[in-house]
Amino acid sequence: MPNAPIRILFNTWANRENTNSQSLTAREIASRLSPERFRSSLFLGWGQEPDPKVGGREEIRLLRVPPRLGSLFIARELLWGSHDIVFYPALNPRASRLFRTGRRLGRKRLVVDGVETSLDQIAACGKEIQQRIFASLRQADLRTAITPAISRDLAQQHQLESEVVPLGVDLSLFQWVDRSHHEPPWKVVYVASIQQRKQTHIMLDLAQRLRSQDVEFHCIGPCLGDPAYCEALFARKARERLDKVTFHGELSQPEIYRHLRQADLYVLPSRLEGFGKTTLEAAASGLPAIVFSDYETTAVVDGETGFQVATEEEMLAAVEELLADPELRHEMGWAASAHAQTFSWDPIARRWETLFSRLAQGEAA
């Protein structure tokens, strides 16, 4: 049938509680694809509730993964499920390996793979993960990158061409907030997992340096990676009596927005990022952001919507400048909110529709 809907398997989780960046991205895209032109499938954990964005939708199928042999279930769907396109094939390590080795035996389908982090971050993950990611990328029929910098590095370092498709922001949730009525203590917020590569300890460095000022630091995100790193952060907080630092753990998207509404400044001290999706969510709520310039994010326009800095000292100076100047915070926050409007998920989903359609038409030809 020439007008049959294009069937896409997003190899990600639809679980309501899953806050993995790629899973959230897949749900945003799937929920916005034209139901007349596309059919989407996502995996759902056994006994888990689906994200309301994708649950109960006739055009979206949720594949419940059994508690035992889950990787085999996923691999079987990747290889022999009735899908035209597989997106994010490399997320599940075991299933990904089975898919790569058995792809010639499976149903003919197209593969879309995306790079949503810097190549420096991929290299820092270790040789085995790096090999798996690039093996998947080389087999893809369409590669995407979330920033021009990542696309450039893929071409220069690995001779892999890619389409640039940025991440988006849910503007129905993350909306501009008038902070003209805010009073001290000023609130600096960090939204990311708590782990070494995110350099969460810099938030404690900032709190130590600014302890005489009326400012609070709020860190939102789960502890990942080496548990000793989190334990060291908590021990340092107690030892140095950094009472103005609060760790909130993992929160839902609405809970994150509630904290962003109350905040005055956003800081992400990680150098190993691709885009910094939460930076864009902070921008949509009208928060200026301070990030490192290493990964050349398009979420922050340096000097207009916040600052991209090169050193920790520059980060401290930028924090001090913005905390001392409410008018500058307001100007940058307003510019940040306007900038975030250009990253609405709706037009980005239309971009994905075009790419999926072109890919499917090329295969048909």
Side-chain angles (χ1 to χ4, degrees):
M1 295 176 60
N3 295 321
I6 299 171
R7 298 163 299 179
I8 303 171
L9 172 62
F10 293 89
N11 182 28
T12 57
W13 296 102
N15 302 1
R16 183 173 191 162
E17 301 303 319
N18 189 303
T19 58
N20 172 272
S21 177
Q22 288 173 313
S23 295
L24 292 173
T25 295
R27 286 175 247 164
E28 294 287 0
I29 297 171
S31 67
R32 287 172 169 82
L33 293 178
S34 167
E36 290 77 27
R37 297 169 54 200
F38 297 93
R39 294 288 185 271
S40 300
S41 298
L42 299 93
F43 293 108
L44 181 64
W46 196 265
Q48 296 292 316
E49 290 295 321
D51 186 327
K53 288 185 177 180
V54 295
R57 302 274 294 268
E58 185 177 338
E59 74 279 11
I60 299 178
R61 188 163 60 116
L62 301 181
L63 306 168
R64 197 171 287 278
V65 179
R68 297 183 65 239
L69 303 177
S71 294
L72 291 177
F73 177 90
I74 293 173
R76 185 185 65 184
E77 198 67 33
L78 289 170
L79 286 166
W80 294 292
S82 57
H83 314 288
D84 303 307
I85 295 174
V86 170
F87 195 10
Y88 290 142
L91 278 192
N92 182 294
R94 286 189 63 195
S96 172
R97 186 164 55 250
L98 291 169
F99 177 60
R100 289 201 313 273
T101 56
R103 187 178 172 189
R104 294 179 181 177
L105 303 176
R107 287 185 71 255
K108 188 171 180 60
R109 82 267 321 285
L110 299 156
V111 174
V112 176
D113 207 354
V115 181
E116 298 186 2
T117 188
S118 68
L119 300 197
D120 287 340
Q121 182 178 334
I122 293 176
C125 291
K127 187 175 181 180
E128 181 179 347
I129 294 177
Q130 189 174 2
Q131 288 177 338
R132 172 166 59 88
I133 289 173
F134 283 104
S136 179
L137 285 170
R138 291 188 183 95
Q139 288 187 353
D141 299 285
L142 171 67
R143 288 176 290 273
T144 63
I146 56 173
T147 67
I150 294 174
S151 182
R152 178 201 66 212
D153 290 345
L154 279 173
Q156 292 179 352
Q157 299 179 31
H158 298 276
Q159 294 74 53
L160 294 173
E161 298 300 320
S162 57
E163 294 272 356
V164 178
V165 187
L167 296 180
V169 59
D170 183 357
L171 296 175
S172 67
L173 174 60
F174 297 96
Q175 301 180 8
W176 181 79
V177 176
D178 181 5
R179 295 176 171 81
S180 59
H181 63 284
H182 281 200
E183 295 181 352
W186 307 121
K187 294 179 175 59
V188 178
V189 67
Y190 158 107
V191 184
S193 57
I194 312 298
Q195 56 176 314
Q196 179 69 50
R197 75 170 179 85
K198 297 287 186 180
Q199 299 198 126
T200 318
H201 58 273
I202 290 181
M203 297 300 291
L204 273 65
D205 295 343
L206 295 173
Q208 178 64 265
R209 297 278 289 272
L210 300 175
R211 67 185 309 152
S212 62
Q213 298 189 26
D214 200 2
V215 55
E216 299 174 355
F217 294 84
H218 295 267
C219 300
I220 299 170
C223 286
L224 298 178
D226 185 2
Y229 180 73
C230 283
E231 293 169 4
L233 291 180
F234 300 151
R236 179 186 170 188
K237 176 184 180 305
R239 183 176 65 253
E240 298 180 8
R241 297 183 179 179
L242 299 175
D243 301 327
K244 295 179 181 179
V245 177
T246 303
F247 290 96
H248 295 276
E250 186 173 16
L251 300 180
S252 67
Q253 293 275 285
E255 290 172 323
I256 289 172
Y257 178 55
R258 179 172 59 84
H259 280 277
L260 294 177
R261 288 177 60 89
Q262 299 168 355
D264 301 284
L265 182 61
Y266 179 87
V267 174
L268 181 62
S270 171
R271 292 182 181 273
L272 294 175
E273 295 291 322
F275 184 83
K277 182 171 175 286
T278 55
T279 306
L280 192 59
E281 294 167 348
S285 73
L287 281 178
I290 302 171
V291 301
F292 281 116
S293 59
D294 302 55
Y295 49 100
E296 302 176 50
T297 180
T298 52
V300 178
V301 182
D302 186 40
E304 295 183 24
T305 71
F307 294 107
Q308 295 199 30
V309 300
T311 67
E312 187 174 342
E313 284 300 319
E314 288 183 10
M315 179 166 281
L316 173 64
V319 169
E320 289 183 311
E321 179 180 357
L322 283 171
L323 289 178
D325 193 338
E327 184 175 343
L328 179 60
R329 286 205 309 273
H330 177 78
E331 291 176 0
M332 284 191 161
W334 183 258
S337 179
H339 181 59
Q341 303 304 306
T342 65
F343 291 89
S344 169
W345 271 120
D346 292 326
I348 291 174
R350 302 291 81 76
R351 169 73 169 144
W352 278 112
E353 287 185 347
T354 299
L355 290 175
F356 290 144
S357 297
R358 287 178 180 173
L359 188 62
Q361 290 166 4
E363 175 65 12

